[in-house]
Amino acid sequence: MADTKVYRATTTAPVNIAVVKYWGKRDAKLNLPTNSSLSVTLSQSDLRTLTTATCSAAYAGQGDSLLLNGEASDVSGARTQACFRALRERRIALESANPSLPKLAGLPLRIVTENNFPTAAGLASSAAGFAALVRAIADLYELPDTPSQLSLIARQGSGSACRSVFGGYVAWRMGDKADGSDSLAEQVAPASAWPEMRAVVLVVSAAKKGVSSTSGMQQTVATSGLFQERIRTVVPDNMAKMEAAIAAQDFAAFAEVTMRDSNSFHATCADTYPPIFYMNDVSRAAVRAVESINAKAGRTVAAYTFDAGPNAVVYYLEKDAGIVLGTFSSILGAGVDGWKGGVSPSTEQAADVDAT
Ligand code: ADP
Ligand code: DP6
Ligand code: CO
C-alpha cells in the first residue's frame, strides 16, 4: 500500500525593515539587485509570517498549492517556482545520498501561510513570507543548508526575503557574479550588539499598494535618471556610513543615514516616469512629527523610514521610548489606523516552531 503519511513542518519568520533600501534589479529572472542593502530584522513576537509546509502521496494528482491568509494563491509564478525547484533539487540530492530516506521531493507541496500584519502594504510581507516559505520547506525536507544558502533561495522568491533569514542587523551583498551565487545576506551584527534599538510601526493604511515593489522598481530602473546617481554614489556611501554607525552604536549617524536613504529612495520613485507615490499626507505628517520630536529633544532620538507604501517605521532607543511613543500616541486618530511600539530587533534567525 502507498505511504499516505503527511509530512509537516511549521516555522515563523519576522519582517525586516531596510535602513538602506533595495530598489532595482539588474537581473529580474535571478532577482539580483542593482545595489546592496541593509536592514533590521524585527522580533517575531511582533510582525511575522507563520507557515506550514506539508507533502504527502495522498495529495497525488493535486499539484502544489499555497493558501495565503485563507485564500488560494497562485503558485505558478516564476519566483515561487524558483524556490520550490531549488528546494526540491536539494532534497533529491539528499535522497540519492541516503536511499533509506522517504521520497518527498516528488510529492505535491501544500503551503498554508498567514501574516499577522497587512499584506502587500509596504510592511515587508514578501520578506517574511518568502523567508518563512523557504525555511518551512527546508525543514520539511530536513535540508542541512546553512542560513546563507537558504538566503540565496529566499532571494529568488523576493529580494528582501534573503535578509529575514537572519536576525539582528543584516546586509544583503549585491554580489557581482552573473549566476547570483554571491548575492546573499549576512548578519553584520547580532541584535545583542545594540539591544536598545526599538521600532514603532505606524499603520497609515493597511490597503494593498497600487504598484507592487517588483513592478515599481522595474519602472524606476527603466526611467529614472536620479536612480543612476543613487546606485552609483548614494547607496555605497550610505552602506559604509550605516555599517560604521552600527559598529559604533551611534544613533545620530544611524538615524541620519536611515532618513536620508528613505528620502533618496522615495525621490527616485517621484523621478520615475510616470511618477510613483508611495507616501501620502499622513506619511509626510509622520516625517514632520519625527523632525519636531528631534528638535524638541535637542538631539536625534527618532528616525523615520518608509518602504514601498505609506506606513512609517520609526527607529528609536529604549531610553527615549517615553518621548517618541508619547508623541506618536498623540497623532493617533489623525489618520493612523493602528500602531505597534517597542518592537525590538530579533535575536535569532527564523525559528523552527515544529518539524515532524
Ligand atoms: P510588501 O511591501 O508587503 O512586501 P510586495 O509588493 O513586495 O509587498 O509583496 C507582496 C506579495 O508578497 C504578495 O502579493 C504575495 O505574493 C507575497 N506574499 C506576502 N505574504 C506572503 C506569504 N506569507 N507567503 C508567500 N507569499 C507572500
Ligand atoms: C522598498 O523585496 O518586496 O521594501 O524582490 O521584487 O519581491 P521583490 O521586491 P521586495 O522589495 C523591497 C523594497 C523595499 C526596500 C527593502 O526592503 O530593501
Ligand atoms: Co516586499
Side-chain angles (χ1 to χ4, degrees), residues 18-27 31-38 79 120-124 126 158-160 163 172 174 209-232 234-236 239 261-279 306-310:
V19 289
V20 178
K21 308 284 188 196
Y22 149 54
W23 195 252
K25 300 175 198 292
R26 66 177 194 274
D27 181 327
N31 219 20
L32 301 178
T34 51
N35 58 269
S36 295
S37 55
L38 201 150
R79 312 271 208 83
L123 288 171
S126 66
S158 174
S160 53
R163 299 185 311 240
W172 172 13
M174 63 183 288
K209 62 184 89 169
V211 181
S212 72
S213 298
T214 305
S215 154
M217 66 177 81
Q218 278 165 335
Q219 294 170 40
T220 302
V221 172
T223 65
S224 168
L226 187 62
F227 171 76
Q228 297 304 325
E229 187 59 20
R230 172 171 165 78
I231 60 171
R232 200 173 61 81
V234 177
V235 171
M239 283 297 289
D261 194 81
S262 175
N263 297 344
S264 155
F265 152 50
H266 288 279
T268 69
C269 290
D271 189 49
T272 299
Y273 193 77
I276 304 169
F277 303 117
Y278 286 122
M279 293 169 65
F306 299 81
D307 272 1

